[in-house]
Each structure stands twice: as C-alpha cells, then as structure tokens.
C-alpha cells in the first residue's frame, strides 16, 4: 500500500512540474498601454452653409474653385500630438462643433466653455468675431482664428482671448509688395472689383505699396460679366489701355470671374498678381522645404480629394501650438500653457522661420509664401527687408501701426 501511495505521489509531482514548465514557456502578453488620465480638449467651431465655402462657378457646370472647411488640418495636428501625449501627460482631443445659424455660434462657444474647454479653433465669418469675443471675454479660453484675414479683426476687435494664426491681409499684401520691389517692379495697375472685400484688399495693397516705396499708377474699377454694353468695364484690354506704363497688374476680385480673363489679355505684357497668377498664401501644396512634404502627405489621409491650403495649415498650427506649449511649459493647466504661448513661445511651422505671437495684437508672425499654380516662387520676408527686432515683423502691422495694444 505504501508503495502504491508513493507511486501516485510521484506521478502527481511530475504532472505538476510539467504544467509549471509549460506555463513558463507560454508567451506573456504585456499590459496594455494606458492613456494619460488628463485631457486637453480642443474645439473646432464652424458655421453650416458658410458663404465663404460656396463653390466658385463660372456658370452652373463649370466650377472654378471648391473651397472646404479646414477641419482636416486640425485632424493632422491631433495625429501629430498623439506622439507627444505621454510626454505631455494628457490626451489631446478634438471636437467639431457646427452652428446651424450664425446667431447660434456664441451659444455653442458658451456651452463649450462651461464644459471646461479652454481652446477653440474658429472657422467662422468675420462678422461673428465681435459677439464671439464678447462671449469669451474674461474667461480661461484661447480662441484661434484659422481662416479670416480681415485686418479689422486685429485692429478693432482686439481681444485678449483671440490669437490670429491665419495671416492678416496686411501680412499678405506686404509679402507681395516686398517681392515685387525686390524685382524692381514698383509701378502697379490695379483692377478692382465691386465687392466690399475687393475694396479691403485694394486698400491693404495700396498701403503696402506706400510702405515699401512703390506706387499705384491707376485703379481701374471693373464690372464682372459679358454684357457688350459694359465692355469698357469688363474687358481687360480696354481697362489696361491707359496712358501710363506699369510693371505689374494687381487684381482684387473676390468673385474670381473677371480675374481668370486677365492673364495674356492686357495691352502690355505684364505679370499678373493678386487674385490670380502670383498669390500670397499661408500654405501651398507645392511647398517642399522644412518638412512640408511630410505635412502634405499626412493631410492627404484626412482629405484625399483636395490639396492642403492656408486655413488647413492654420488649423494644424493652432493644435501644434497648444501641444507644444503644454510640452514646453511642462503643464496641462491653462495658465502655464497660455503664458508660454503668449510669451516666449516659438513654434516650428514648417515654413523656415519659427513663428510666435505678437504681444500687441496677437497676430502670429510667420513667413508668407508667394505661389503660382504649381510652384512656390519665394518666401517672405525677402532678403534686404529688415526690422529692428524680428524680420517677420516687416510683414503686417508693427506695434506702432495699429490701434490694438494688448500688451499695455
């Protein structure tokens, strides 16, 4: 009996040893990586049926341009931020908020603030900025203008809670005139359309010409259309038949219908800039320096049917500024992030020169690209255009040029 018990014990021991050995040979599944407990929530506020994104048509079946909301740019920013989340100590999230009507936008913003959202990208028409700024006044929030170039938003709205990532019209015009003057092209013929926005563009271009020692030799007002009775106002050849010479034809034409007829139609062979030909932009899909090709490639994952444009870049940049500020300030709290962004913070914009926020009007100082249809001709500021502190401040409103002084 004792021998039988001993044999059974031996068999059981060997079986247990075999089970333990097999268990040791099984692959061990590592614990799943845990996301940071904290979150940095970013909102993207837009307006449904925003007129700025209506297709630009020559006639019903011929679409000349098809602009789109720049939400895809923000998505690229979130994708880039994921690689930094562990170092930041927080998950960076993005929420798209669409106002059905213009008057609903401030209420959407207020609700987001009350939910604890501290960062919101604004893709709304310029006329909404005043009410939105009033809603945000005194709150712990930063609003990022990612699509509106109007100078009045920088000069008159002048809100502490607002950062203009998209370049101002003054920056865009200064960049264009810097390039023209660098070529020794100083005399300009202007074609100006009837839209109020055309007047704003013309005024900005005229101010830039004066700033850099150039001049407007004539301002010809045109009327879009093909009415033969209006041929003296809609025919580029007739409009350019002036008794003065000029170096460059500048076009201010929001509707774009007249612009596309101007190249090769003026009475003298002159470069065309502005609404067509050479344009000044925050971003262009053919820019291939400073890591831009990789940014364009990542953008194509979210918007495979179009190219990355200026508002897309501004949305991407706004998210990058938030994530970088959290990383560099070593904090996920609002105040340290804001203080870094508004203070010593500089950010790689993949355009060469590092960008930063101007203290006086919260415009992001940045390089401006001068682009044709398939090539970036130059990047401003151009060589030789100096500034006492930062060469990027040779573009747009300097501290002495604006009524907005948020640093005082």
């Amino acid at each position: 009996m004792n021998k039988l018990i001993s044999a059974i014990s031996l068999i059981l021991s060997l079986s247990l040893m075999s089970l333990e050995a097999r268990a040791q040979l099984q692959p061990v599944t590592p614990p799943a990586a845990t996301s940071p407990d904290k979150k940095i929530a970013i909102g993207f506020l837009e307006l449904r049926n925003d007129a700025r994104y209506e297709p630009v048509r020559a006639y019903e079946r011929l679409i000349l341009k098809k602009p789109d909301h720049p939400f895809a740019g923000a998505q690229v920013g979130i994708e880039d931020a994921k690689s930094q989340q562990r170092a930041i100590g927080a998950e960076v999230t993005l929420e798209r908020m669409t106002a059905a009507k213009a008057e609903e936008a401030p209420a959407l913003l207020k609700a987001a603030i009350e939910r604890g959202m501290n960062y919101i990208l604004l893709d709304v028409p310029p006329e909404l900025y005043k009410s939105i700024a009033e809603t945000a006044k005194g709150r712990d929030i930063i609003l990022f203008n990612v699509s509106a170039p109007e100078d009045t938003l920088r000069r008159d709205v002048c809100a502490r809670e607002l950062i203009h990532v998209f370049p101002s019209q003054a920056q865009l015009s200064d960049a264009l005139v810097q390039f023209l003057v660098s070529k020794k092209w100083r005399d300009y013929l202007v074609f100006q359309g009837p839209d109020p926005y055309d007047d704003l563009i013309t005024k900005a271009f005229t101010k830039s010409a004066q700033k850099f020692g150039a001049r407007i030799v004539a301002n010809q007002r045109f009327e879009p259309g093909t009415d033969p009775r209006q041929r003296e106002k809609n025919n580029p050849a007739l409009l350019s038949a002036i008794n003065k010479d000029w170096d460059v034809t500048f076009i201010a034409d929001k509707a774009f219908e007249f612009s596309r007829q101007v190249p090769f139609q003026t009475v003298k062979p002159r470069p065309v800039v502005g609404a067509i030909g050479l344009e000044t932009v925050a971003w262009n899909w053919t820019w291939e320096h400073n890591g831009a090709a990789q940014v364009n490639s990542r953008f194509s994952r979210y918007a495979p049917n179009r190219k990355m444009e200026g508002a897309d870049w501004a949305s991407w940049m706004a998210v990058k500024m938030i994530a970088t500020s959290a990383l560099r300030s070593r904090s996920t709290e609002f105040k340290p992030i804001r203080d870094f962004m508004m203070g010593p913070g500089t950010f790689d914009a993949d355009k060469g020169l590092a960008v930063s926020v101007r203290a006086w009007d919260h415009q992001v100082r940045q390089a401006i690209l001068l682009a044709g249809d398939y090539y970036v001709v130059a990047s401003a500021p151009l060589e030789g255009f100096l500034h006492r502190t930062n060469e990027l401040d040779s573009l747009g409103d300097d501290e002495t040029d604006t009524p907005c002084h948020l640093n005082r």
Side-chain angles (χ1 to χ4, degrees), residues 59-82:
Y59 51 84
E60 189 58 31
R61 287 182 296 174
L62 181 59
I63 297 176
L64 303 175
K65 294 183 179 182
K66 195 174 181 180
D68 202 353
H69 290 274
F71 183 70
Q75 290 178 296
V76 179
I78 293 295
E79 177 188 317
D80 294 350
K82 287 180 180 178

PDB file of all heavy atoms in Angstrom, residues 59-82:
ATOM      1  N   TYR A  59     -20.112  79.240 -64.581  1.00  0.00           N
ATOM      2  CA  TYR A  59     -21.533  79.014 -64.820  1.00  0.00           C
ATOM      3  C   TYR A  59     -21.858  77.694 -64.137  1.00  0.00           C
ATOM      4  O   TYR A  59     -20.988  77.082 -63.500  1.00  0.00           O
ATOM      5  CB  TYR A  59     -21.883  79.018 -66.308  1.00  0.00           C
ATOM      6  CG  TYR A  59     -21.036  78.123 -67.181  1.00  0.00           C
ATOM      7  CD1 TYR A  59     -21.330  76.774 -67.328  1.00  0.00           C
ATOM      8  CD2 TYR A  59     -19.937  78.641 -67.862  1.00  0.00           C
ATOM      9  CE1 TYR A  59     -20.563  75.952 -68.123  1.00  0.00           C
ATOM     10  CE2 TYR A  59     -19.147  77.820 -68.657  1.00  0.00           C
ATOM     11  CZ  TYR A  59     -19.470  76.481 -68.790  1.00  0.00           C
ATOM     12  OH  TYR A  59     -18.704  75.671 -69.571  1.00  0.00           O
ATOM     13  N   GLU A  60     -23.073  77.260 -64.202  1.00  0.00           N
ATOM     14  CA  GLU A  60     -23.544  76.172 -63.341  1.00  0.00           C
ATOM     15  C   GLU A  60     -22.682  74.917 -63.410  1.00  0.00           C
ATOM     16  O   GLU A  60     -22.412  74.278 -62.400  1.00  0.00           O
ATOM     17  CB  GLU A  60     -24.996  75.822 -63.697  1.00  0.00           C
ATOM     18  CG  GLU A  60     -25.651  74.852 -62.730  1.00  0.00           C
ATOM     19  CD  GLU A  60     -25.675  75.358 -61.305  1.00  0.00           C
ATOM     20  OE1 GLU A  60     -25.753  76.597 -61.103  1.00  0.00           O
ATOM     21  OE2 GLU A  60     -25.596  74.528 -60.386  1.00  0.00           O
ATOM     22  N   ARG A  61     -22.218  74.543 -64.575  1.00  0.00           N
ATOM     23  CA  ARG A  61     -21.471  73.286 -64.699  1.00  0.00           C
ATOM     24  C   ARG A  61     -19.963  73.460 -64.646  1.00  0.00           C
ATOM     25  O   ARG A  61     -19.234  72.472 -64.679  1.00  0.00           O
ATOM     26  CB  ARG A  61     -21.874  72.591 -66.007  1.00  0.00           C
ATOM     27  CG  ARG A  61     -23.268  71.988 -65.965  1.00  0.00           C
ATOM     28  CD  ARG A  61     -23.600  71.268 -67.254  1.00  0.00           C
ATOM     29  NE  ARG A  61     -23.639  72.204 -68.390  1.00  0.00           N
ATOM     30  CZ  ARG A  61     -23.798  71.830 -69.654  1.00  0.00           C
ATOM     31  NH1 ARG A  61     -23.900  70.542 -69.955  1.00  0.00           N
ATOM     32  NH2 ARG A  61     -23.845  72.718 -70.615  1.00  0.00           N
ATOM     33  N   LEU A  62     -19.473  74.687 -64.603  1.00  0.00           N
ATOM     34  CA  LEU A  62     -18.035  74.933 -64.558  1.00  0.00           C
ATOM     35  C   LEU A  62     -17.662  75.496 -63.193  1.00  0.00           C
ATOM     36  O   LEU A  62     -17.886  76.666 -62.897  1.00  0.00           O
ATOM     37  CB  LEU A  62     -17.624  75.914 -65.662  1.00  0.00           C
ATOM     38  CG  LEU A  62     -16.126  76.230 -65.742  1.00  0.00           C
ATOM     39  CD1 LEU A  62     -15.314  74.966 -65.962  1.00  0.00           C
ATOM     40  CD2 LEU A  62     -15.847  77.242 -66.845  1.00  0.00           C
ATOM     41  N   ILE A  63     -17.110  74.622 -62.347  1.00  0.00           N
ATOM     42  CA  ILE A  63     -16.683  75.031 -61.005  1.00  0.00           C
ATOM     43  C   ILE A  63     -15.206  75.402 -61.068  1.00  0.00           C
ATOM     44  O   ILE A  63     -14.355  74.579 -61.396  1.00  0.00           O
ATOM     45  CB  ILE A  63     -16.912  73.897 -59.989  1.00  0.00           C
ATOM     46  CG1 ILE A  63     -18.419  73.581 -59.895  1.00  0.00           C
ATOM     47  CG2 ILE A  63     -16.363  74.288 -58.624  1.00  0.00           C
ATOM     48  CD1 ILE A  63     -18.740  72.422 -58.988  1.00  0.00           C
ATOM     49  N   LEU A  64     -14.905  76.663 -60.752  1.00  0.00           N
ATOM     50  CA  LEU A  64     -13.534  77.151 -60.820  1.00  0.00           C
ATOM     51  C   LEU A  64     -12.746  76.809 -59.553  1.00  0.00           C
ATOM     52  O   LEU A  64     -11.572  76.464 -59.609  1.00  0.00           O
ATOM     53  CB  LEU A  64     -13.533  78.661 -61.032  1.00  0.00           C
ATOM     54  CG  LEU A  64     -14.288  79.163 -62.273  1.00  0.00           C
ATOM     55  CD1 LEU A  64     -14.314  80.680 -62.308  1.00  0.00           C
ATOM     56  CD2 LEU A  64     -13.646  78.616 -63.543  1.00  0.00           C
ATOM     57  N   LYS A  65     -13.413  76.936 -58.404  1.00  0.00           N
ATOM     58  CA  LYS A  65     -12.774  76.625 -57.124  1.00  0.00           C
ATOM     59  C   LYS A  65     -13.807  75.959 -56.221  1.00  0.00           C
ATOM     60  O   LYS A  65     -14.994  76.271 -56.282  1.00  0.00           O
ATOM     61  CB  LYS A  65     -12.250  77.896 -56.434  1.00  0.00           C
ATOM     62  CG  LYS A  65     -11.122  78.600 -57.159  1.00  0.00           C
ATOM     63  CD  LYS A  65     -10.641  79.799 -56.358  1.00  0.00           C
ATOM     64  CE  LYS A  65      -9.501  80.514 -57.038  1.00  0.00           C
ATOM     65  NZ  LYS A  65      -8.996  81.667 -56.240  1.00  0.00           N
ATOM     66  N   LYS A  66     -13.329  75.066 -55.383  1.00  0.00           N
ATOM     67  CA  LYS A  66     -14.230  74.388 -54.455  1.00  0.00           C
ATOM     68  C   LYS A  66     -13.589  74.378 -53.069  1.00  0.00           C
ATOM     69  O   LYS A  66     -13.003  73.389 -52.630  1.00  0.00           O
ATOM     70  CB  LYS A  66     -14.512  72.958 -54.932  1.00  0.00           C
ATOM     71  CG  LYS A  66     -15.699  72.315 -54.247  1.00  0.00           C
ATOM     72  CD  LYS A  66     -16.013  70.963 -54.869  1.00  0.00           C
ATOM     73  CE  LYS A  66     -17.227  70.324 -54.208  1.00  0.00           C
ATOM     74  NZ  LYS A  66     -17.547  69.007 -54.814  1.00  0.00           N
ATOM     75  N   PRO A  67     -13.683  75.496 -52.342  1.00  0.00           N
ATOM     76  CA  PRO A  67     -13.065  75.576 -51.015  1.00  0.00           C
ATOM     77  C   PRO A  67     -13.769  74.677 -50.015  1.00  0.00           C
ATOM     78  O   PRO A  67     -14.922  74.279 -50.204  1.00  0.00           O
ATOM     79  CB  PRO A  67     -13.231  77.065 -50.644  1.00  0.00           C
ATOM     80  CG  PRO A  67     -14.396  77.537 -51.453  1.00  0.00           C
ATOM     81  CD  PRO A  67     -14.379  76.742 -52.726  1.00  0.00           C
ATOM     82  N   ASP A  68     -13.077  74.351 -48.942  1.00  0.00           N
ATOM     83  CA  ASP A  68     -13.644  73.454 -47.939  1.00  0.00           C
ATOM     84  C   ASP A  68     -13.187  73.895 -46.554  1.00  0.00           C
ATOM     85  O   ASP A  68     -12.147  74.542 -46.393  1.00  0.00           O
ATOM     86  CB  ASP A  68     -13.199  72.014 -48.202  1.00  0.00           C
ATOM     87  CG  ASP A  68     -14.135  71.003 -47.555  1.00  0.00           C
ATOM     88  OD1 ASP A  68     -15.040  71.413 -46.798  1.00  0.00           O
ATOM     89  OD2 ASP A  68     -13.960  69.797 -47.812  1.00  0.00           O
ATOM     90  N   HIS A  69     -13.978  73.532 -45.547  1.00  0.00           N
ATOM     91  CA  HIS A  69     -13.614  73.832 -44.159  1.00  0.00           C
ATOM     92  C   HIS A  69     -12.268  73.181 -43.822  1.00  0.00           C
ATOM     93  O   HIS A  69     -11.985  72.061 -44.270  1.00  0.00           O
ATOM     94  CB  HIS A  69     -14.693  73.325 -43.207  1.00  0.00           C
ATOM     95  CG  HIS A  69     -15.976  74.098 -43.275  1.00  0.00           C
ATOM     96  ND1 HIS A  69     -16.189  75.247 -42.544  1.00  0.00           N
ATOM     97  CD2 HIS A  69     -17.110  73.895 -43.986  1.00  0.00           C
ATOM     98  CE1 HIS A  69     -17.406  75.704 -42.798  1.00  0.00           C
ATOM     99  NE2 HIS A  69     -17.976  74.905 -43.676  1.00  0.00           N
ATOM    100  N   PRO A  70     -11.461  73.829 -42.993  1.00  0.00           N
ATOM    101  CA  PRO A  70     -10.118  73.316 -42.706  1.00  0.00           C
ATOM    102  C   PRO A  70     -10.044  72.357 -41.528  1.00  0.00           C
ATOM    103  O   PRO A  70      -9.006  72.252 -40.869  1.00  0.00           O
ATOM    104  CB  PRO A  70      -9.336  74.606 -42.416  1.00  0.00           C
ATOM    105  CG  PRO A  70     -10.345  75.501 -41.787  1.00  0.00           C
ATOM    106  CD  PRO A  70     -11.643  75.215 -42.486  1.00  0.00           C
ATOM    107  N   PHE A  71     -11.126  71.638 -41.255  1.00  0.00           N
ATOM    108  CA  PHE A  71     -11.123  70.705 -40.128  1.00  0.00           C
ATOM    109  C   PHE A  71     -10.053  69.624 -40.299  1.00  0.00           C
ATOM    110  O   PHE A  71      -9.456  69.161 -39.314  1.00  0.00           O
ATOM    111  CB  PHE A  71     -12.502  70.054 -39.978  1.00  0.00           C
ATOM    112  CG  PHE A  71     -12.622  69.134 -38.799  1.00  0.00           C
ATOM    113  CD1 PHE A  71     -12.625  69.627 -37.504  1.00  0.00           C
ATOM    114  CD2 PHE A  71     -12.730  67.759 -38.986  1.00  0.00           C
ATOM    115  CE1 PHE A  71     -12.733  68.776 -36.414  1.00  0.00           C
ATOM    116  CE2 PHE A  71     -12.839  66.901 -37.903  1.00  0.00           C
ATOM    117  CZ  PHE A  71     -12.845  67.408 -36.609  1.00  0.00           C
ATOM    118  N   ALA A  72      -9.791  69.232 -41.546  1.00  0.00           N
ATOM    119  CA  ALA A  72      -8.779  68.195 -41.790  1.00  0.00           C
ATOM    120  C   ALA A  72      -7.402  68.627 -41.286  1.00  0.00           C
ATOM    121  O   ALA A  72      -6.620  67.795 -40.826  1.00  0.00           O
ATOM    122  CB  ALA A  72      -8.713  67.865 -43.279  1.00  0.00           C
ATOM    123  N   GLY A  73      -7.106  69.927 -41.368  1.00  0.00           N
ATOM    124  CA  GLY A  73      -5.837  70.413 -40.845  1.00  0.00           C
ATOM    125  C   GLY A  73      -5.723  70.204 -39.349  1.00  0.00           C
ATOM    126  O   GLY A  73      -4.666  69.825 -38.829  1.00  0.00           O
ATOM    127  N   ALA A  74      -6.821  70.438 -38.634  1.00  0.00           N
ATOM    128  CA  ALA A  74      -6.821  70.205 -37.189  1.00  0.00           C
ATOM    129  C   ALA A  74      -6.643  68.726 -36.879  1.00  0.00           C
ATOM    130  O   ALA A  74      -5.973  68.355 -35.906  1.00  0.00           O
ATOM    131  CB  ALA A  74      -8.117  70.732 -36.589  1.00  0.00           C
ATOM    132  N   GLN A  75      -7.222  67.866 -37.701  1.00  0.00           N
ATOM    133  CA  GLN A  75      -7.071  66.420 -37.502  1.00  0.00           C
ATOM    134  C   GLN A  75      -5.611  65.991 -37.633  1.00  0.00           C
ATOM    135  O   GLN A  75      -5.140  65.124 -36.892  1.00  0.00           O
ATOM    136  CB  GLN A  75      -7.935  65.655 -38.496  1.00  0.00           C
ATOM    137  CG  GLN A  75      -9.433  65.773 -38.237  1.00  0.00           C
ATOM    138  CD  GLN A  75     -10.253  65.042 -39.286  1.00  0.00           C
ATOM    139  OE1 GLN A  75     -10.232  65.406 -40.461  1.00  0.00           O
ATOM    140  NE2 GLN A  75     -10.966  64.010 -38.867  1.00  0.00           N
ATOM    141  N   VAL A  76      -4.895  66.594 -38.579  1.00  0.00           N
ATOM    142  CA  VAL A  76      -3.467  66.300 -38.719  1.00  0.00           C
ATOM    143  C   VAL A  76      -2.719  66.731 -37.460  1.00  0.00           C
ATOM    144  O   VAL A  76      -1.822  66.035 -36.980  1.00  0.00           O
ATOM    145  CB  VAL A  76      -2.880  66.994 -39.963  1.00  0.00           C
ATOM    146  CG1 VAL A  76      -1.382  66.697 -40.074  1.00  0.00           C
ATOM    147  CG2 VAL A  76      -3.586  66.537 -41.224  1.00  0.00           C
ATOM    148  N   GLY A  77      -3.099  67.889 -36.911  1.00  0.00           N
ATOM    149  CA  GLY A  77      -2.480  68.360 -35.673  1.00  0.00           C
ATOM    150  C   GLY A  77      -2.694  67.385 -34.526  1.00  0.00           C
ATOM    151  O   GLY A  77      -1.781  67.126 -33.726  1.00  0.00           O
ATOM    152  N   ILE A  78      -3.903  66.825 -34.427  1.00  0.00           N
ATOM    153  CA  ILE A  78      -4.191  65.852 -33.376  1.00  0.00           C
ATOM    154  C   ILE A  78      -3.376  64.575 -33.584  1.00  0.00           C
ATOM    155  O   ILE A  78      -2.829  64.000 -32.630  1.00  0.00           O
ATOM    156  CB  ILE A  78      -5.695  65.519 -33.352  1.00  0.00           C
ATOM    157  CG1 ILE A  78      -6.501  66.734 -32.905  1.00  0.00           C
ATOM    158  CG2 ILE A  78      -5.972  64.323 -32.446  1.00  0.00           C
ATOM    159  CD1 ILE A  78      -6.247  67.177 -31.478  1.00  0.00           C
ATOM    160  N   GLU A  79      -3.262  64.145 -34.839  1.00  0.00           N
ATOM    161  CA  GLU A  79      -2.443  62.963 -35.142  1.00  0.00           C
ATOM    162  C   GLU A  79      -1.000  63.184 -34.702  1.00  0.00           C
ATOM    163  O   GLU A  79      -0.379  62.306 -34.086  1.00  0.00           O
ATOM    164  CB  GLU A  79      -2.489  62.665 -36.633  1.00  0.00           C
ATOM    165  CG  GLU A  79      -1.604  61.503 -37.060  1.00  0.00           C
ATOM    166  CD  GLU A  79      -1.506  61.349 -38.566  1.00  0.00           C
ATOM    167  OE1 GLU A  79      -2.547  61.458 -39.245  1.00  0.00           O
ATOM    168  OE2 GLU A  79      -0.386  61.121 -39.073  1.00  0.00           O
ATOM    169  N   ASP A  80      -0.459  64.364 -34.996  1.00  0.00           N
ATOM    170  CA  ASP A  80       0.915  64.667 -34.598  1.00  0.00           C
ATOM    171  C   ASP A  80       1.061  64.715 -33.080  1.00  0.00           C
ATOM    172  O   ASP A  80       2.095  64.312 -32.527  1.00  0.00           O
ATOM    173  CB  ASP A  80       1.349  65.999 -35.201  1.00  0.00           C
ATOM    174  CG  ASP A  80       1.442  65.962 -36.724  1.00  0.00           C
ATOM    175  OD1 ASP A  80       1.353  64.856 -37.296  1.00  0.00           O
ATOM    176  OD2 ASP A  80       1.585  67.035 -37.340  1.00  0.00           O
ATOM    177  N   ALA A  81       0.021  65.225 -32.399  1.00  0.00           N
ATOM    178  CA  ALA A  81       0.095  65.371 -30.943  1.00  0.00           C
ATOM    179  C   ALA A  81       0.080  64.025 -30.229  1.00  0.00           C
ATOM    180  O   ALA A  81       0.555  63.913 -29.090  1.00  0.00           O
ATOM    181  CB  ALA A  81      -1.058  66.243 -30.445  1.00  0.00           C
ATOM    182  N   LYS A  82      -0.447  62.991 -30.866  1.00  0.00           N
ATOM    183  CA  LYS A  82      -0.526  61.677 -30.223  1.00  0.00           C
ATOM    184  C   LYS A  82       0.848  61.148 -29.836  1.00  0.00           C
ATOM    185  O   LYS A  82       0.997  60.459 -28.828  1.00  0.00           O
ATOM    186  CB  LYS A  82      -1.230  60.688 -31.157  1.00  0.00           C
ATOM    187  CG  LYS A  82      -2.737  60.912 -31.268  1.00  0.00           C
ATOM    188  CD  LYS A  82      -3.381  59.895 -32.210  1.00  0.00           C
ATOM    189  CE  LYS A  82      -4.884  60.119 -32.315  1.00  0.00           C
ATOM    190  NZ  LYS A  82      -5.539  59.179 -33.269  1.00  0.00           N
TER     191      LYS A  82
END
